[in-house]
Amino acid sequence: MLTPGVWGVVATPFTGSTFDLDEQSLARLVEHYERLGVTGLTVLGVFGEAAQLSTEERRAVLETVVDAVELPLVVGATSLGAAPVVEEVRLAQQVAGDRLAGVMVQVNSPNPHVLAGHLRAVHEATGAGLVVQDYPLVSGVSISADALVTALRDLPFVVAVKAEAPPTPVAVATLTAALDVPIFGGLGGLGLLDELACGAAGAMTGFSFPEGLIACVEGWRNGGYQAARDAWLPYLPLVNFEQQAKIALAIRKECLRRRGLFPESSVRPPAASLPESLHEQLERHLAAVR
Amino acid sequence: MLTPGVWGVVATPFTGSTFDLDEQSLARLVEHYERLGVTGLTVLGVFGEAAQLSTEERRAVLETVVDAVELPLVVGATSLGAAPVVEEVRLAQQVAGDRLAGVMVQVNSPNPHVLAGHLRAVHEATGAGLVVQDYPLVSGVSISADALVTALRDLPFVVAVKAEAPPTPVAVATLTAALDVPIFGGLGGLGLLDELACGAAGAMTGFSFPEGLIACVEGWRNGGYQAARDAWLPYLPLVNFEQQAKIALAIRKECLRRRGLFPESSVRPPAASLPESLHEQLERHLAAVR
Amino acid sequence: MLTPGVWGVVATPFTGSTFDLDEQSLARLVEHYERLGVTGLTVLGVFGEAAQLSTEERRAVLETVVDAVELPLVVGATSLGAAPVVEEVRLAQQVAGDRLAGVMVQVNSPNPHVLAGHLRAVHEATGAGLVVQDYPLVSGVSISADALVTALRDLPFVVAVKAEAPPTPVAVATLTAALDVPIFGGLGGLGLLDELACGAAGAMTGFSFPEGLIACVEGWRNGGYQAARDAWLPYLPLVNFEQQAKIALAIRKECLRRRGLFPESSVRPPAASLPESLHEQLERHLAAVR
Amino acid sequence: MLTPGVWGVVATPFTGSTFDLDEQSLARLVEHYERLGVTGLTVLGVFGEAAQLSTEERRAVLETVVDAVELPLVVGATSLGAAPVVEEVRLAQQVAGDRLAGVMVQVNSPNPHVLAGHLRAVHEATGAGLVVQDYPLVSGVSISADALVTALRDLPFVVAVKAEAPPTPVAVATLTAALDVPIFGGLGGLGLLDELACGAAGAMTGFSFPEGLIACVEGWRNGGYQAARDAWLPYLPLVNFEQQAKIALAIRKECLRRRGLFPESSVRPPAASLPESLHEQLERHLAAVR
């Protein structure tokens, strides 16, 4: 099982007009995460722009992260078919070795039997523990929480679920009641307080202030709703600002840049870059939580 | 032009297993709004379940609101074609008379010329001032902010825009820079702080604590970001909780019920009712802002 | 039960720059249908642009059709909520009286219990027999064929299903195996041959040559696949041409115009009009089947 | 420029319960295509289930095809980001060498400048000629035909466009009028007759009877509408049958199997397999054109 807590979803910094991988900044970023005390890191996820990287770049990202920190890693797979997913898993296993806490695989069918077969095929070919990501906005696949329970019920190699199909608190409640694996919230922390209340084991997401996620999750554990709320409240305006449709990635990378973690905040096309009209407000939000 | 500020979007209370219109509770609700000091009310909007009402019920809703309060009214039209919209507008004019501050019409085409033609046809047939609602999740129509500017630029009878196509702050910035009409945010206030920063004239939405919307908008006017943020922060966990996809309507009606404004919180099918798993957290959120 | 065969879905002719209802042409059109020997007519359906008509215009359409022909009528309801559907049904009952063979109601939920409740509510309020239309492109609601069976199994007042969720032949096969009501194909006849092979009771659609639909359905009854195919083949290029996404309505109305049934082929905005680039090919297709 | 005519989109045969690549059947399939006289082959397209293949399998598919036939090849790229597309292009160049007539790249943005930048980046990194595929159902990206013209106008390395955004004949007309590259239709030939009439250079698709596509395209060249129609008519019922949403791939592979080209017709999950209810009709359609 994946350790409950906060798993930081790692951004991928680029440099120059050709958007070259900036390994040095990546190392600095994950070292920062480690210092903050995250439970682990999620590498090559959606927020890491994994679908925009070549195989060689994916390997370089993994190597950089493995070398820079000691944290356990979840590595994302981008494809929806078993054969290319297996290829991605093998790369992760090769580079991350026993640092690999799990491989994150997308829900690829609304049909629980097809999904279970897919996960089984990936596990049987690789032996990897699987984090199942239910993120319809990215995968294009919508599964009901009940069908997800049916799919995952008898798969002992599933080590966690990342629930990103709104309304996520309701999904978290259904999944935690029926499955014995930890369920994590994502979506930049937009529903974190409610996901925790519904039984979430923590957050796995890329909010630019992971210390906020940590404070909220620890608040919940130690003091319940009120403590989590108090810890989370100062960050919430920035959370909502970051989690804007279409431009969330660009906003968060710019936040990381202004925090001094990246020299450049560019995103690879076709992702949208940060609209000029948001610069001033971004600075205000940052000033309020620094 | 529509008066800047907070326009409350009015819910429609139902009673019994046949979901009959509860006019008495509706009157109490809008009187509550008036006491809170909203700028005006938006009746027969999406949050008012207008698409679930018969013509007779729409008339009854309008009559009840007109009788109960003195506030200016925006009345929503549900259809996307000119002929049925005109029919809806005429009903609104008949009942609301000079209380009618504007009729809210949906964007019905991504093509600015088609949209302008539609708005012109509705205005020419009725003489009504129009609030243009850009809400792709409901209308099924996506228009770019630039195309919306093109459509609305030369329409003197447009009195406001309700911008509900995320990322809404970016849309608000584009629209306020190019048009001379007030632009309102919606979506339960999820992006209110950022919409105000980008030039929004206020909020037109159905959050269960309109006093929070008012405090935030007045905070912005009087003290800028910091004051608006301070005023809004306590409400933000509830805002995010309410604004959950698919169940937002059910959550908000239950919040209104627990505030004592409705005796029943049922929503007309096929809208989803409130999941059991959220009851406890709903109560926590309410307790925190009461 | 609805009589098997070909139910013609009636277009609504407009005239002039204000798209006024052209009742005279409408009468001529349905008289033409009657002469061709259709089983019945479907009025105020999607192809009839019902969502673009005012209540008064809907009434005028119904009255015109009732007066012009002796055929049994299915009348479409546009709304997805019970209260406005009931209002539409009552208008149909008032005007069509015992000529009303059924009222066509859209699937409004993927949840079979919600859908069954909706249909029951409409029937209980009106006593009408219901034709259930499963047309996700228009309703925005996708239901599986299995869930549709669950919803309809115990509803004795359902008199037919119109299956328009591709792949339609598979849906027809599932529905005919499990339900005792006739299942009709639609979608302009694009899959008619296969729908008949899978058990369809006929076609309910707006192809501009209803005689082709009739020849195909009768071919199937009397001579099976080969006869139906032979009868249908000459029309198939026009069927595919007409059934083009976004412009199907404009193409078909222009075909009706060139057949001499309409003086004008305009469609009400925001529907797209006929692209200039298709005029020549349209004429070729018509010449080939005249 | 890509040679006008019929480019066969090659299916990928699998064998056994693990869906192993069946190279022998693949060779037989493309030899069959060559004997039929297709202009060229499109390998690793959507119909080739490229998104379900590992890198090693993609290489094996390319090698098999290159070895088996002498035809020019278009090789599909599956990714939407420049870096992984470049990786796919390099594999194609490595294996296909000067047999490579073009690399097929998906439209990845509705914004013409973003799309042009993407294509330029891919071309500059590889030198490859590009076939631009506009297939929103697969890419999830919708671009208007006008924006596509803007994007492609000044890109001399674009060698063809594959227009698969319905209504495709209208898109073909717009693109052929404004661009100097050949425009091909796809979608199983559903609109072939109309695409040719609007200026298409031919078909690039995976219909199970490529001889039908060839007969239609040659008919159009030599005898115009009537000849093309006469040639195409016998195949049209099968075209419509094959092109059913969600199951098109499974139907076509079964058609190829029954033609003796494959020993097995399985598709890799999560693609749907052939519904039992269609077997009999599939056989009828095949019997009619054999």
Side-chain angles (χ1 to χ4, degrees):
Chain A
M1 293 302 136
L2 217 58
T3 311
V6 172
W7 290 71
V9 178
V10 180
T12 304
F14 300 117
T15 183
S17 65
T18 47
F19 306 99
D20 297 325
L21 184 60
D22 178 356
E23 300 175 25
Q24 206 179 329
S25 300
L26 175 59
R28 194 164 54 235
L29 175 67
V30 294
E31 286 158 10
H32 176 74
Y33 265 116
E34 192 168 47
R35 273 192 306 275
L36 292 175
V38 296
T39 307
L41 293 176
T42 299
V43 191
L44 299 180
V46 172
F47 179 46
E49 297 174 68
Q52 305 299 324
L53 304 177
S54 68
T55 306
E56 199 186 323
E57 289 171 330
R58 290 178 193 211
R59 176 185 293 275
V61 164
L62 286 177
E63 286 173 347
T64 300
V65 173
V66 165
D67 288 352
V69 295
E70 304 290 326
L71 293 164
L73 303 178
V74 166
V75 177
T78 294
S79 305
L80 298 182
V85 168
V86 165
E87 194 176 8
E88 296 186 65
V89 174
R90 286 190 176 136
L91 175 64
Q93 292 177 315
Q94 211 175 60
V95 180
D98 56 12
R99 297 276 296 286
L100 194 64
V103 171
M104 189 156 65
V105 176
Q106 310 266 334
V107 168
N108 78 339
S109 172
N111 180 323
H113 307 293
V114 174
L115 173 57
H118 175 63
L119 298 173
R120 229 180 253 120
V122 172
H123 174 72
E124 279 165 15
T126 64
L130 305 184
V131 177
V132 178
Q133 182 174 29
D134 178 22
Y135 196 178
L137 189 72
V138 165
S139 66
V141 177
S142 283
I143 191 169
S144 70
D146 287 342
L148 193 51
V149 166
T150 303
L152 305 186
R153 188 165 268 154
D154 300 319
L155 303 182
F157 50 81
V158 171
V159 299
V161 176
K162 192 174 181 208
E164 303 190 281
T168 51
V170 184
V172 168
T174 302
L175 295 168
T176 50
L179 298 173
D180 282 331
V181 297
I183 313 298
F184 289 84
L187 300 181
L190 201 67
L192 179 56
L193 215 47
D194 304 319
E195 290 154 4
L196 290 169
C198 288
M204 184 183 286
T205 194
F207 180 47
S208 65
F209 281 72
E211 52 267 56
L213 298 167
I214 294 172
C216 180
V217 171
E218 292 191 347
W220 184 266
R221 281 182 191 165
N222 302 323
Y225 176 80
Q226 196 55 50
R229 178 188 161 98
D230 289 348
W232 193 223
L233 220 49
Y235 297 100
L236 214 34
L238 180 57
V239 167
N240 284 16
F241 182 76
E242 280 195 10
Q243 195 56 16
Q244 292 181 59
K246 295 174 192 168
I247 52 174
L249 184 61
I251 298 176
R252 271 193 245 165
K253 287 184 98 168
E254 177 63 11
C255 288
L256 293 171
R257 190 187 73 76
R258 297 205 187 184
R259 294 198 73 184
L261 294 163
F262 286 2
E264 298 176 47
S265 62
S266 60
V267 294
R268 286 198 170 170
S273 52
L274 185 68
E276 185 64 31
S277 52
L278 296 186
H279 283 194
E280 196 179 346
Q281 181 74 346
L282 186 152
E283 191 52 44
R284 289 187 194 115
H285 282 310
L286 288 181
V289 290
R290 262 178 195 141
Chain B
M1 294 301 136
L2 217 57
T3 311
V6 171
W7 290 71
V9 179
V10 180
T12 306
F14 299 117
T15 183
S17 65
T18 47
F19 306 98
D20 296 327
L21 185 59
D22 176 357
E23 301 176 25
Q24 203 180 331
S25 300
L26 175 60
R28 193 164 54 234
L29 175 68
V30 294
E31 286 159 8
H32 175 74
Y33 266 116
E34 192 168 48
R35 274 193 305 274
L36 292 175
V38 296
T39 308
L41 292 176
T42 300
V43 190
L44 299 181
V46 171
F47 179 44
E49 298 174 68
Q52 305 298 325
L53 304 177
S54 68
T55 305
E56 198 186 323
E57 290 171 328
R58 292 179 193 213
R59 176 184 293 275
V61 164
L62 286 176
E63 286 173 348
T64 301
V65 173
V66 164
D67 288 352
V69 294
E70 304 290 325
L71 294 164
L73 303 178
V74 167
V75 177
T78 294
S79 306
L80 298 182
V85 169
V86 165
E87 194 176 7
E88 297 186 63
V89 174
R90 285 189 177 137
L91 175 63
Q93 291 177 316
Q94 211 174 62
V95 181
D98 57 12
R99 296 277 296 286
L100 194 63
V103 171
M104 189 156 65
V105 176
Q106 310 267 334
V107 168
N108 78 339
S109 171
N111 181 322
H113 307 294
V114 174
L115 173 58
H118 174 63
L119 298 172
R120 228 180 254 117
V122 172
H123 174 73
E124 279 165 17
T126 64
L130 304 184
V131 177
V132 178
Q133 181 174 31
D134 178 21
Y135 196 178
L137 189 73
V138 165
S139 65
V141 178
S142 282
I143 192 169
S144 71
D146 288 342
L148 193 51
V149 165
T150 303
L152 305 186
R153 189 165 267 153
D154 301 318
L155 303 182
F157 49 80
V158 171
V159 299
V161 177
K162 190 173 183 209
E164 301 191 281
T168 51
V170 183
V172 168
T174 301
L175 296 168
T176 50
L179 298 173
D180 282 332
V181 297
I183 314 297
F184 290 84
L187 300 181
L190 200 67
L192 178 56
L193 214 47
D194 304 320
E195 290 154 4
L196 290 169
C198 288
M204 184 182 288
T205 195
F207 180 48
S208 64
F209 282 71
E211 53 266 55
L213 298 167
I214 294 172
C216 180
V217 171
E218 292 190 348
W220 184 266
R221 283 180 189 165
N222 302 324
Y225 176 80
Q226 196 56 51
R229 177 189 161 96
D230 290 347
W232 193 224
L233 221 49
Y235 297 98
L236 214 35
L238 180 58
V239 168
N240 284 16
F241 181 77
E242 279 195 11
Q243 194 56 16
Q244 293 182 58
K246 297 172 191 169
I247 52 175
L249 184 61
I251 298 176
R252 270 192 246 165
K253 288 185 97 166
E254 176 64 11
C255 288
L256 293 169
R257 190 187 72 78
R258 297 204 187 185
R259 293 198 75 185
L261 295 161
F262 285 3
E264 297 176 48
S265 62
S266 61
V267 294
R268 284 198 172 171
S273 53
L274 185 68
E276 182 65 30
S277 53
L278 296 185
H279 283 193
E280 195 179 347
Q281 181 74 346
L282 187 152
E283 191 52 46
R284 290 188 193 115
H285 283 310
L286 288 182
V289 291
R290 258 175 197 147
Chain C
M1 295 301 138
L2 217 58
T3 312
V6 171
W7 289 71
V9 179
V10 180
T12 306
F14 301 117
T15 182
S17 65
T18 47
F19 306 99
D20 297 327
L21 185 59
D22 178 355
E23 299 175 25
Q24 204 179 332
S25 299
L26 176 60
R28 193 164 55 235
L29 174 67
V30 294
E31 286 159 8
H32 176 75
Y33 266 116
E34 190 169 49
R35 274 193 304 275
L36 291 175
V38 296
T39 308
L41 293 177
T42 300
V43 190
L44 299 180
V46 172
F47 180 45
E49 297 174 68
Q52 306 298 325
L53 304 178
S54 68
T55 306
E56 198 186 324
E57 289 171 331
R58 290 178 193 212
R59 176 185 294 276
V61 165
L62 286 177
E63 286 173 347
T64 301
V65 173
V66 165
D67 288 352
V69 295
E70 305 290 327
L71 293 164
L73 303 178
V74 167
V75 177
T78 295
S79 306
L80 298 182
V85 168
V86 165
E87 194 176 8
E88 297 186 64
V89 174
R90 285 188 178 138
L91 175 63
Q93 291 176 316
Q94 209 175 62
V95 182
D98 58 10
R99 296 277 296 285
L100 194 63
V103 171
M104 188 155 67
V105 176
Q106 308 266 333
V107 168
N108 78 339
S109 171
N111 181 321
H113 306 294
V114 175
L115 173 57
H118 174 63
L119 298 172
R120 228 180 255 117
V122 172
H123 174 72
E124 279 164 18
T126 63
L130 304 184
V131 177
V132 178
Q133 181 174 30
D134 179 21
Y135 195 179
L137 189 72
V138 166
S139 65
V141 177
S142 282
I143 192 170
S144 70
D146 287 342
L148 194 51
V149 165
T150 303
L152 306 186
R153 188 164 269 152
D154 300 320
L155 303 182
F157 50 81
V158 171
V159 300
V161 177
K162 190 173 181 209
E164 302 190 281
T168 50
V170 183
V172 168
T174 301
L175 296 168
T176 48
L179 298 173
D180 281 333
V181 297
I183 314 297
F184 290 83
L187 300 180
L190 201 67
L192 179 56
L193 215 47
D194 305 319
E195 290 154 4
L196 290 169
C198 288
M204 183 184 288
T205 195
F207 180 48
S208 64
F209 281 73
E211 53 267 54
L213 297 167
I214 295 171
C216 180
V217 171
E218 292 190 347
W220 183 266
R221 283 180 189 165
N222 302 324
Y225 175 80
Q226 196 55 51
R229 178 188 161 98
D230 290 347
W232 193 225
L233 221 47
Y235 297 100
L236 214 35
L238 180 58
V239 168
N240 285 14
F241 181 76
E242 280 195 11
Q243 194 57 15
Q244 292 182 60
K246 297 173 190 169
I247 51 174
L249 184 61
I251 297 176
R252 270 191 247 165
K253 287 184 98 167
E254 176 65 11
C255 288
L256 293 170
R257 190 188 72 80
R258 297 204 187 184
R259 294 198 74 184
L261 295 163
F262 285 4
E264 297 176 48
S265 61
S266 61
V267 294
R268 286 199 172 170
S273 55
L274 186 68
E276 184 64 31
S277 52
L278 295 187
H279 282 194
E280 196 179 346
Q281 182 74 345
L282 187 152
E283 191 53 45
R284 290 188 193 114
H285 282 310
L286 288 181
V289 290
R290 258 172 196 147
Chain D
M1 293 301 136
L2 216 58
T3 311
V6 172
W7 290 71
V9 178
V10 180
T12 305
F14 300 117
T15 183
S17 64
T18 49
F19 304 100
D20 297 326
L21 185 60
D22 177 357
E23 300 175 25
Q24 206 179 329
S25 299
L26 175 60
R28 192 164 54 234
L29 175 67
V30 294
E31 286 159 8
H32 177 74
Y33 265 117
E34 192 168 47
R35 274 193 305 274
L36 291 175
V38 295
T39 307
L41 294 176
T42 299
V43 190
L44 300 180
V46 171
F47 179 44
E49 295 173 71
Q52 305 299 323
L53 303 178
S54 68
T55 306
E56 199 186 321
E57 289 171 330
R58 290 179 194 212
R59 177 184 293 276
V61 164
L62 286 176
E63 286 174 348
T64 301
V65 172
V66 165
D67 288 353
V69 294
E70 305 290 326
L71 293 164
L73 303 178
V74 166
V75 177
T78 294
S79 306
L80 297 182
V85 168
V86 165
E87 193 176 7
E88 297 186 64
V89 173
R90 285 190 177 135
L91 175 63
Q93 291 176 315
Q94 211 176 59
V95 180
D98 58 11
R99 298 277 295 286
L100 194 63
V103 171
M104 188 155 65
V105 176
Q106 308 266 333
V107 168
N108 77 339
S109 172
N111 181 320
H113 306 293
V114 174
L115 174 57
H118 174 63
L119 298 173
R120 230 181 252 118
V122 172
H123 174 72
E124 279 164 17
T126 63
L130 304 185
V131 177
V132 178
Q133 182 174 28
D134 178 22
Y135 195 179
L137 188 72
V138 165
S139 67
V141 178
S142 281
I143 192 169
S144 70
D146 287 341
L148 194 52
V149 165
T150 303
L152 306 186
R153 189 165 266 152
D154 300 319
L155 303 181
F157 50 81
V158 170
V159 300
V161 176
K162 190 173 182 207
E164 302 190 280
T168 51
V170 183
V172 167
T174 301
L175 295 168
T176 50
L179 299 173
D180 281 333
V181 297
I183 313 298
F184 290 84
L187 300 182
L190 201 67
L192 180 54
L193 215 48
D194 304 318
E195 290 155 2
L196 290 169
C198 287
M204 183 184 288
T205 196
F207 180 48
S208 65
F209 281 72
E211 54 266 54
L213 297 167
I214 295 172
C216 180
V217 171
E218 292 190 349
W220 184 266
R221 283 180 189 164
N222 302 324
Y225 175 80
Q226 196 56 51
R229 178 189 160 97
D230 290 347
W232 192 224
L233 221 47
Y235 296 99
L236 214 35
L238 180 58
V239 167
N240 285 15
F241 181 76
E242 280 195 11
Q243 195 56 17
Q244 292 182 58
K246 296 175 193 169
I247 52 173
L249 184 61
I251 298 175
R252 272 193 246 164
K253 287 184 98 167
E254 177 64 12
C255 289
L256 293 170
R257 190 187 73 77
R258 298 205 186 183
R259 294 198 73 186
L261 294 163
F262 285 3
E264 298 176 46
S265 61
S266 61
V267 293
R268 285 197 172 173
S273 52
L274 185 68
E276 184 65 31
S277 53
L278 296 185
H279 282 193
E280 195 178 347
Q281 182 75 345
L282 188 152
E283 191 52 45
R284 290 187 194 114
H285 282 311
L286 288 181
V289 290
R290 260 176 195 144

